[in-house]
């Protein structure tokens, strides 16, 4: 009755538990959201001032490429950070998500392949399904701090169907910041095998250890690198849905423009606000945000390390981390924690990590945490997680004991495992 594409898509693990969250909030429970990259940082006032001062009499369509003020603001932004992109190389999109979807649709025929490095941003799966393409995964390992594999391991996954690599730098969900050696290696492979690199750089400012290096800085890669960008995280403006796709490859961008024209344009008012923040937000704002996230990273990492059985690597960038929990199934635990547990009227919303892997046996006991809350809330959230893990293990042990003693009909309620 419905398409195979849509029926094959599962719910996003990032938002899957939203109905449970809403119910808990209605019941009066406070929920700390570590499941989604929604910062609590204040959006620059320049965004709202520009929208409030909008004085056109008609809210009309804009150019499919984006309004001139925004394209010029992006050009100035890239020039300031040393990236050679002009407004002719750019198209404004409805968030970074549409930019990725446009890239996949432009590069691939149905049945073609995109190589990703797992764990990777789970929504890439949906964009791939929409385009009718296959995501081919190469595993990166926490014990190697999620470093890219060796050349021969990467090349072993390349087939005559492979069209591109897709990578996020800094990484969502691992926080990996790729080194010059890793970037040069992937670019070398792409040139040798005539492949594109779709690189999601929306977290480029958020680097705490190491140095951010853009794939676009590699000489000879100008026509192979496709940049995905967004104002969502940089300026805490997720709801604005203003993204960007950019490339020096004129033929690629001409084809992308067809898709942009089909959806007419990005929202006018949000483009006005985005242009204002890009042009007028001070460096002090960005620097203070980076300092704040570094402190949040250190806080949550240091506290997670103290929980018995928890394994985590310190992320170098972005604001995510993959955390291995002392449970058999992180999805079941995350649902239980949100739905049935609270400590003093508070609980935590996690994001199970298995959907960030294409390899089915991986990530089952992991979650992705987003450290986007202020420090005091992160401390409370980790404390609840710690207590919740203990209560969950206690509840499972009691259930097992009941099963062994063959006492049917015994149901554990919240009071039996609350601590």
């Amino acid at each position: 009755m419905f398409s195979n594409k849509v029926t094959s898509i599962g719910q996003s693990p990032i938002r899957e538990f939203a109905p449970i969250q809403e119910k808990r909030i209605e019941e009066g429970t406070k929920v700390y959201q570590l499941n989604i990259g929604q910062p609590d940082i204040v959006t620059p006032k320049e965004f709202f001032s520009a929208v409030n001062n909008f004085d056109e009499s008609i809210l009309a369509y804009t150019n499919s490429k984006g309004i001139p003020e925004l394209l010029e603001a992006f050009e100035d932004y890239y020039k300031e950070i040393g990236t050679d992109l002009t407004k002719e190389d750019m198209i404004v999109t409805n968030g970074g998500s549409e930019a990725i979807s446009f890239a996949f649709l432009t590069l691939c025929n149905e049945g073609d392949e995109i190589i990703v490095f797992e764990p990777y941003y789970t929504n890439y799966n949906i964009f791939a399904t929409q385009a009718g393409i296959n995501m081919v995964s190469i595993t990166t390992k926490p014990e190697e701090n999620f470093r890219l594999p060796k050349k021969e391991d990467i090349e072993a996954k390349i087939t005559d169907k492979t069209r591109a690599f897709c990578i996020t730098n800094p990484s969502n969900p691992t926080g990996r910041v790729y080194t010059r050696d890793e970037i040069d290696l992937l670019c070398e492979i792409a040139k040798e095998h005539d492949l594109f690199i779709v690189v999601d750089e929306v977290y480029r400012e958020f680097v705490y250890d190491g140095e951010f290096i853009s794939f676009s800085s590699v000489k000879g890669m100008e026509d192979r690198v496709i940049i995905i960008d967004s104002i969502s995280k940089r300026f805490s403006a997720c709801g604005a849905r203003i993204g960007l796709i950019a490339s020096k490859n004129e033929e690629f961008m001409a084809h992308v423009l067809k898709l942009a024209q089909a959806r007419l344009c990005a929202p006018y008012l949000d483009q006005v606000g985005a242009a204002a923040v890009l042009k007028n937000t001070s460096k002090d704002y960005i620097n203070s945000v980076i300092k704040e996230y570094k402190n949040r990273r250190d806080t949550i990492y240091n506290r997670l390390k103290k929980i018995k059985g928890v394994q985590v690597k310190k992320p170098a960038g972005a604001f995510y981390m993959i955390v291995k929990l002392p449970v058999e199934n992180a999805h079941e635990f995350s649902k239980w924690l949100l739905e049935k547990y609270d400590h003093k009227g508070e609980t935590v919303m996690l994001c199970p990590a298995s959907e960030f892997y294409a390899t089915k046996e991986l990530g089952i006991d992991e979650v992705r945490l987003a450290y986007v809350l202020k420090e005091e809330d992160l401390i409370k959230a980790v404390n609840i997680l710690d207590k919740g893990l203990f209560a969950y293990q206690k509840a499972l042990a009691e259930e097992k004991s009941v099963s062994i003693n063959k006492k049917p009909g015994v149901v554990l309620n919240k009071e039996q495992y609350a601590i």
Side-chain angles (χ1 to χ4, degrees):
M1 183 176 179
F2 300 106
S3 74
N4 291 334
K5 287 182 178 180
V6 75
T7 55
S8 69
I9 295 172
Q11 291 194 61
S12 168
I14 301 169
R15 293 176 177 264
E16 177 185 357
F17 298 144
I20 300 174
Q21 175 206 14
E22 292 168 2
K23 185 173 185 296
R24 292 308 304 269
I25 292 174
E26 289 175 0
E27 295 170 349
T29 304
K30 181 176 178 60
V31 178
Y32 294 101
Q33 284 189 255
L34 301 183
N35 64 301
I36 191 168
Q38 171 57 65
D40 66 359
I41 303 292
V42 174
T43 307
K45 63 182 183 299
E46 287 83 0
F47 184 96
F48 302 107
S49 295
V51 173
N52 290 335
N53 291 326
F54 183 80
D55 61 359
E56 299 287 339
S57 59
I58 298 173
L59 193 59
Y61 290 127
T62 70
N63 190 298
S64 296
K65 282 176 63 68
I67 61 174
E69 308 95 282
L70 180 52
L71 292 169
E72 290 166 6
F74 268 117
E75 182 174 351
D76 290 343
Y77 163 77
Y78 283 118
K79 187 181 299 181
E80 189 171 338
I81 65 173
T83 299
D84 180 24
L85 288 171
T86 68
K87 54 182 177 290
E88 285 75 24
D89 305 320
M90 309 173 191
I91 293 175
V92 176
T93 58
N94 289 290
S97 296
E98 185 180 66
I100 297 165
S101 180
F102 280 179
F104 287 1
L105 286 166
T106 302
L107 292 175
C108 301
N109 291 313
E110 292 215 3
D112 282 346
E113 298 172 349
I114 297 282
I115 293 178
V116 290
F117 299 92
E118 63 181 4
Y120 58 90
Y121 180 47
T122 182
N123 282 354
Y124 292 165
N125 291 321
I126 295 177
F127 309 139
T129 300
Q130 289 174 335
I133 63 180
N134 299 316
M135 302 295 277
V136 176
S137 64
I138 301 175
T139 306
T140 63
K141 302 174 181 178
E143 58 267 28
E144 298 173 354
N145 212 8
F146 301 106
R147 181 179 177 84
L148 290 186
K150 297 177 181 178
K151 183 177 182 180
E152 55 266 29
D153 295 329
I154 297 174
E155 289 185 315
K157 293 286 188 174
I158 297 174
T159 72
D160 59 357
K161 290 286 189 179
T162 306
R163 296 291 292 131
F165 296 107
C166 182
I167 191 167
T168 311
N169 185 35
S171 170
N172 171 8
T174 69
R176 174 77 184 179
V177 177
Y178 295 102
T179 64
R180 169 60 73 184
D181 287 346
E182 291 172 284
I183 290 169
D184 285 346
L185 172 64
L186 204 60
C187 288
E188 176 186 316
I189 296 171
K191 283 191 284 187
E192 290 178 0
H193 294 270
D194 194 21
L195 303 176
F196 288 87
I197 298 179
V198 180
V199 56
D200 187 339
E201 294 186 351
V202 302
Y203 302 99
R204 70 166 64 87
E205 269 79 13
F206 305 127
V207 175
Y208 322 115
D209 302 317
E211 176 189 9
F212 171 77
I213 300 168
S214 176
F215 279 82
S216 64
S217 68
V218 179
K219 297 298 181 183
M221 288 297 294
E222 292 83 2
D223 62 342
R224 295 184 183 277
V225 172
I226 298 159
I227 300 292
I228 307 299
D229 207 349
S230 168
I231 71 161
S232 293
K233 308 303 165 67
R234 187 172 303 128
F235 298 110
S236 192
C238 297
R241 310 313 303 138
I242 293 297
L244 191 80
I245 185 168
S247 177
K248 304 296 285 186
N249 189 310
E250 294 181 9
E251 185 178 6
F252 170 82
M253 293 302 294
H255 289 309
V256 171
L257 182 58
K258 300 174 190 176
L259 300 174
Q261 289 171 337
R263 60 83 164 114
L264 304 179
C265 67
Y268 194 171
L269 288 178
D270 290 325
Q271 290 188 73
V272 169
V277 293
L278 277 165
K279 288 180 179 178
N280 304 315
T281 302
S282 71
K283 289 183 179 179
D284 289 342
Y285 173 88
I286 295 295
N287 291 336
S288 66
V289 171
I290 295 169
K291 182 179 179 181
E292 174 65 19
Y293 278 123
K294 184 178 185 299
N295 182 60
R296 293 179 180 190
R297 179 208 57 176
D298 293 344
T299 295
I300 192 170
Y301 171 77
N302 291 332
R303 289 180 175 269
L304 285 169
K305 290 287 287 183
K306 295 178 181 179
I307 300 178
K308 183 179 179 180
V310 166
Q311 298 177 38
V312 59
K313 290 293 181 181
K314 193 173 190 177
F319 40 65
Y320 307 98
M321 54 177 60
I322 290 289
V323 182
K324 187 179 181 68
L325 299 178
V327 298
E328 288 187 6
N329 190 304
H331 184 277
E332 292 179 2
F333 169 72
S334 298
K335 183 179 180 182
W336 175 90
L337 185 69
L338 180 63
E339 187 173 37
K340 297 185 177 180
Y341 179 79
D342 68 79
H343 175 66
K344 297 181 179 179
E346 299 181 335
T347 192
V348 178
M349 191 172 182
L350 307 175
C351 178
S354 59
E355 294 300 317
F356 291 80
Y357 293 85
T359 305
K360 293 304 180 184
E361 63 269 19
L362 296 180
I364 302 299
D365 57 355
E366 296 175 351
V367 293
R368 185 202 70 167
L369 299 187
Y371 46 96
V372 292
L373 306 180
K374 58 188 177 182
E375 184 179 10
E376 62 187 78
D377 287 344
L378 288 176
I379 292 171
K380 290 177 182 177
V382 175
N383 182 52
I384 293 167
L385 174 60
D386 187 8
K387 293 181 180 296
L389 282 167
F390 179 82
Y392 183 71
Q393 291 161 346
K394 178 183 176 183
L396 290 180
E398 291 179 359
E399 285 181 338
K400 185 176 181 180
S401 176
V402 167
S403 176
I404 291 173
N405 290 302
K406 297 182 180 180
K407 295 179 180 178
V410 177
V411 178
L412 291 170
N413 57 43
K414 186 164 65 177
E415 287 69 29
Q416 287 177 276
Y417 51 70
I419 58 174

